[in-house]
Amino acid sequence: MKKILSIVLIIFVFSACKDKNEKGEFIIKGKIQNVPDQEIYLEQVFFSKRPPEILDTVRLVKGAFTVKGLSSEMGLYRLRLSAGDNAYFFINDQKDITFNADANNNALNADNFNTPANRLLKNFIVDIDTMQKQ
């Protein structure tokens, strides 16, 4: 797990394109299939013992939602449902991010964030998982 977090941190450093002093809003519009209406939380995840910080909370209605965050730089975030164990990790590398998932499909490659850094992160995690299974 430490190796994965280290590599994710390296991805952040090399793909950062915003000035650190620039505050930037990012918006995630998403759809999660096969999930009842409930709260969904946008949380910032830290590379320390600091617990995740909730940035936004909205009501998931018929699987659709829009959450907003504000950050001075790219970081690791997660979308977490109030009911159940579903959580989806992502990087805020673009202002507008779309997300699609199926709550009944927990495979590593099942959820989809539409940004370059998130595609790289997902491919990396799937590759690591494949190597561990071998």
Side-chain angles (χ1 to χ4, degrees):
M1 186 64 171
K2 287 183 180 181
K3 287 183 182 181
I4 290 173
L5 292 177
S6 297
I7 292 176
V8 169
L9 182 61
I10 291 169
I11 291 171
F12 293 150
V13 171
F14 284 109
S15 61
C17 59
K18 288 186 176 181
D19 185 310
K20 288 189 178 193
N21 295 325
E22 178 183 292
K23 289 268 187 193
E25 183 179 62
F26 59 98
I27 300 168
I28 300 95
K29 293 181 181 181
K31 178 78 174 165
I32 303 175
Q33 298 175 352
N34 300 311
V35 67
D37 291 357
Q38 61 188 286
E39 301 295 314
I40 186 166
Y41 305 101
L42 169 62
E43 300 175 325
Q44 184 172 6
V45 180
F46 300 97
F47 294 98
S48 66
K49 292 182 180 181
R50 182 176 169 187
E53 179 181 332
I54 296 174
L55 303 178
D56 195 9
T57 304
V58 298
R59 185 86 178 147
L60 187 76
V61 178
K62 295 182 182 178
F65 67 92
T66 300
V67 291
K68 296 178 183 180
L70 188 65
S71 177
S72 60
E73 59 190 6
M74 282 192 289
L76 186 62
Y77 295 83
R78 76 177 173 192
L79 297 172
R80 181 177 55 85
L81 300 176
S82 61
D85 295 329
N86 292 41
Y88 308 96
F89 289 86
F90 70 97
I91 301 167
N92 64 324
D93 64 323
Q94 292 187 348
K95 179 180 174 159
D96 295 309
I97 301 170
T98 59
F99 171 71
N100 293 296
D102 184 339
N104 291 339
N105 186 352
N106 291 325
L108 288 175
N109 59 357
D111 56 75
N112 183 28
F113 289 94
N114 73 324
T115 68
N118 287 297
R119 281 190 291 277
L120 288 171
L121 178 61
K122 181 166 74 172
N123 290 341
F124 172 74
I125 291 170
V126 169
D127 289 347
I128 293 294
D129 185 61
T130 302
M131 286 189 279
Q132 287 179 342
K133 287 178 181 176
Q134 293 175 352

